[in-house]
Amino acid sequence: MERTILHCDCNSFYASVETLLDPTLADGPSAVCGDPESRHGIILAKNEKAKTFGVQTAETIWQAKRKCPDLRLVAPHREEYVKYSRRCNELYLQYTDLVDPFGIDESFLDVTGSMHLFGTGEQIADELRRRMREEIGLTISVGVSFNRAFAKLGSDYKKPDATTVFSRENFRERVWPLPANALLYVGRRAAARLDGLGIHTIGDLAACEPVFLHSIFGKQGDMLLRYARGEDDEPVRSFYAEREVKSVGNGMTFAHNLVGEEACRMGLTALCDNVGRRLRARGMVCQTVQIGIRDPAFHNRSRQVTLEQPTNSTRVLFETSLALLRAHWAMDKPVRLLSVTAANLLPENQACEQLSLFDGPQQAQTRQKQRELDKTVDALRQRFGNRSVMFANSVRKDKKGEPKEQKKP
């Protein structure tokens, strides 16, 4: 039986939720942003009226205000976004349990088994749009197709508050003329490489020889070819299915640029503390540690290393991250953002400790003591709160040398 997949995408989600909290925002152009007085002043989301002025996500506030002087700016209310995201998925679950969230404001639905109750995929999409407006106060655009990739393309095709159907009968006429970068997972770099190869549309991509694409993009080329040809067979998982955790990471944009090793150590300590705690809470260890660095000019650098021993130790994560930073970054250069990611995860009870010829009883004892220390710190925080125990590296000193708590940006 042919599948019927929906992709539901909330229109201007953050801005729409803010308008529900403050209806006066609907009177003119508005945008959600960080603190306008600090460096965090970038546009996170904008409403439809702001879009007409050319306001774009991720541009700075001063750029947006230059385009639209009357732009109203509001700070984000993340807890409200989570609440409304949950309400959206609760609505979708009234039609099928095969609801697979694709971010906070998007979800895939497989309604193949529900159509005998609720009608065709297009009818279900129209009903969801109506109920979303009337019951929750948001609007969604819905793509309807026989696979996930084309359903996602359909929700992007026409906005706001629209239903688009890409069927097996019409996709060659409607999908193939679209630009290649409209296809799921064709990012900026992939689009640039495709363009350099003379592949400008999804139809151009579909006409490529598999061997040629594989030689350029590897497995990603195989996937993109399947998507372009309408051969995507990835299932929509049940909303209640356990999600496999592939990595655990944390990043932080700092209120002031970090310059020098002491400042970077402070930032890495807070990040590794968070990552290590989350790994231990999930009963996982990592085999790879990755750091991300962004400078004030928004240039990004990423480096990673594979560990000899899988770990969830905060200390090991910190020492590894610091070694990566020292090896690949000049400490006198300013750092705007740091991130630490633990990848290649294994269940803790399945990770085997490899013995080294140079690893004696003292090293094994040290690792055991570190595990016990981490567990003690986790237990204290669980009982008395996360701020009950703090690492010395996460505390900075004022000009007189007295400890001063680092403020969270």
Side-chain angles (χ1 to χ4, degrees):
M1 184 179 181
E2 179 101 313
R3 294 192 302 165
T4 299
I5 310 297
L6 274 57
H7 181 263
C8 301
D9 186 5
C10 295
N11 303 135
S12 305
F13 180 62
Y14 290 1
S16 297
V17 171
E18 293 296 339
T19 302
L20 291 175
L21 301 176
D22 179 3
T24 64
L25 292 172
D27 297 338
S30 63
V32 183
C33 64
D35 182 2
E37 303 302 322
S38 76
R39 268 189 353 176
H40 296 297
I42 62 171
I43 302 298
L44 303 176
K46 67 279 182 191
N47 68 1
E48 292 297 326
K49 292 182 179 178
K51 290 180 183 179
T52 63
F53 287 87
V55 175
Q56 297 180 358
T57 300
E59 70 179 349
T60 60
I61 289 175
W62 69 265
Q63 289 173 317
K65 293 285 280 185
R66 187 169 61 181
K67 297 174 181 176
C68 180
D70 295 328
L71 184 67
R72 285 186 61 185
L73 303 173
V74 293
H77 293 84
R78 293 180 177 85
E79 68 286 351
E80 294 293 334
Y81 307 151
V82 173
K83 182 177 75 175
Y84 275 94
S85 175
R86 188 180 300 118
R87 290 184 63 187
C88 292
N89 283 314
E90 287 170 354
L91 175 59
Y92 304 149
L93 286 166
Q94 295 179 31
Y95 294 81
T96 176
D97 68 317
L98 298 179
V99 176
D100 194 355
F102 194 63
I104 195 170
D105 59 344
E106 306 176 47
S107 290
F108 287 101
L109 286 66
D110 187 334
V111 297
T112 310
S114 308
M115 292 192 296
H116 67 289
L117 296 173
F118 304 109
T120 67
E122 185 174 6
Q123 289 169 335
I124 295 174
D126 289 340
E127 185 171 331
L128 283 172
R129 291 196 297 113
R130 176 186 61 79
R131 292 189 62 189
M132 190 69 71
R133 283 193 310 270
E134 296 175 358
E135 299 175 23
I136 299 180
L138 300 174
T139 64
I140 56 174
S141 292
V142 186
V144 183
S145 193
F146 55 95
N147 62 58
R148 290 170 57 116
F150 286 175
K152 175 70 170 70
L153 198 62
S155 68
D156 292 334
Y157 188 77
K158 187 178 180 182
K159 292 178 180 288
D161 196 12
T163 298
T164 300
V165 179
F166 290 142
S167 66
R168 194 173 291 278
E169 292 72 31
N170 73 13
F171 81 88
R172 292 173 181 81
E173 292 74 28
R174 302 191 67 187
V175 170
W176 281 0
L178 297 175
N181 64 3
L183 192 64
L184 184 63
Y185 297 129
V186 177
R188 184 169 55 186
R189 289 185 180 180
R193 294 187 71 184
L194 289 171
D195 192 62
L197 295 168
I199 302 170
H200 308 299
T201 68
I202 296 176
D204 293 339
L205 185 58
C208 287
E209 287 294 328
V211 174
F212 170 71
L213 274 184
H214 185 87
S215 69
I216 303 296
F217 295 99
K219 290 183 178 180
Q220 185 190 13
D222 302 337
M223 177 189 69
L224 295 180
L225 184 60
R226 290 198 308 273
Y227 283 8
R229 292 179 173 180
E231 298 170 357
D232 170 29
D233 59 359
E234 184 178 355
V236 176
R237 295 179 297 176
S238 169
F239 186 80
Y240 306 105
E242 185 176 351
R243 264 46 177 181
E244 180 185 1
V245 179
K246 296 183 179 179
S247 65
V248 173
N250 192 26
M252 187 181 297
T253 300
F254 299 95
H256 303 284
N257 291 332
L258 303 184
V259 180
E261 182 169 322
E262 183 179 355
C264 290
R265 289 172 68 97
M266 195 160 49
L268 286 176
T269 298
L271 296 173
C272 293
D273 181 25
N274 178 282
V275 171
R277 191 185 339 162
R278 289 163 58 197
L279 282 172
R280 295 189 293 273
R282 294 178 179 273
M284 307 293 285
V285 292
C286 70
Q287 301 173 91
T288 300
V289 176
Q290 180 186 73
I291 65 167
I293 311 161
R294 178 180 298 163
D295 66 18
F298 291 88
H299 298 139
N300 297 309
R301 180 175 298 186
S302 177
R303 295 293 184 270
Q304 67 181 41
V305 65
T306 299
L307 303 173
E308 292 185 7
Q309 304 280 356
T311 190
N312 56 19
S313 162
T314 296
R315 178 178 291 277
V316 174
L317 292 172
F318 168 74
E319 290 175 350
T320 306
S321 300
L322 182 60
L324 280 171
L325 187 67
R326 284 170 172 165
H328 300 287
W329 191 257
M331 288 297 185
D332 59 343
K333 293 174 60 178
V335 174
R336 174 185 174 86
L337 174 147
L338 282 174
S339 66
V340 174
T341 301
N344 293 333
L345 304 187
L346 291 172
E348 191 171 13
N349 58 10
Q350 293 181 18
C352 299
E353 265 198 16
Q354 283 192 318
L355 298 178
S356 166
L357 293 173
F358 306 100
D359 198 7
Q362 186 174 356
Q363 285 83 358
Q365 265 187 353
T366 300
R367 287 199 298 272
Q368 181 59 33
K369 286 181 180 179
Q370 186 59 47
R371 283 193 287 265
E372 292 173 358
L373 175 61
D374 285 333
K375 288 180 181 179
T376 301
V377 170
D378 292 344
L380 287 170
R381 285 171 165 170
Q382 187 172 7
R383 183 173 180 183
F384 299 108
N386 290 336
R387 303 178 69 81
S388 59
V389 181
M390 296 183 66
F391 287 86
N393 278 349
S394 64
V395 176
R396 63 182 174 87
K397 295 183 179 181
D398 66 12
K399 293 181 180 179
K400 295 181 180 179
E402 294 298 322
K404 188 172 182 179
E405 184 180 330
Q406 183 189 19
K407 293 185 178 179
K408 191 176 181 180

